Amino acid sequence: SVPIAKQLASIKALAKGSDLEKAFATAALVYNNSTDPKGKLSKAETKSLVQAQFGAFIQGQENKPKYQEIISALDEQSENKIDFEDFMILLVSLTLMSDLLQEIRNVKTTK
């Protein structure tokens, strides 16, 4: 498989893209590289992808009720598929509850 960075570099519209545009394009590429031919992920695949690709954000969340609720939802009704919109909502939800978010907010932006 082609590395994400190489796929990202091949998208001409992003040559002068902002960091945020590249971040969202990366999320879309990671998602697309993992989906079935219909562009969807099983809940089990989604759980594995989040654990593999979003580990820094979910670290330390394992015992928190909201995290458990989200993971339980991925374990239930596993025949249901996740589309890109649901995947992004999942990432945003995990980001908002992450301990890492506070660390990001505390990053100094001036010298």
Side-chain angles (χ1 to χ4, degrees), residues 39-70:
K40 295 192 176 192
L41 287 173
S42 73
K43 288 187 174 187
E45 291 167 329
T46 302
K47 183 178 175 181
S48 294
L49 183 61
V50 166
Q51 289 170 333
Q53 292 285 329
F54 220 56
F57 280 91
I58 62 174
Q59 184 176 3
Q61 301 302 306
E62 297 85 359
N63 297 320
K64 294 185 178 179
K66 187 64 178 171
Y67 177 80
Q68 288 296 329
E69 181 183 324
I70 289 171

Side-chain angles (χ1 to χ4, degrees), residues 46-102:
T46 302
K47 183 178 175 181
S48 294
L49 183 61
V50 166
Q51 289 170 333
Q53 292 285 329
F54 220 56
F57 280 91
I58 62 174
Q59 184 176 3
Q61 301 302 306
E62 297 85 359
N63 297 320
K64 294 185 178 179
K66 187 64 178 171
Y67 177 80
Q68 288 296 329
E69 181 183 324
I70 289 171
I71 294 304
S72 291
L74 292 177
D75 288 336
E76 296 170 5
Q77 302 172 351
S78 59
E79 71 278 357
N80 291 349
K81 300 278 185 160
I82 301 285
D83 62 16
F84 183 65
E85 181 180 346
D86 291 334
F87 181 72
M88 291 303 289
I89 290 168
L90 173 65
L91 293 184
V92 169
S93 298
L94 293 171
T95 300
L96 290 172
M97 71 165 111
S98 174
D99 295 335
L100 183 56
L101 182 58
Q102 189 57 49

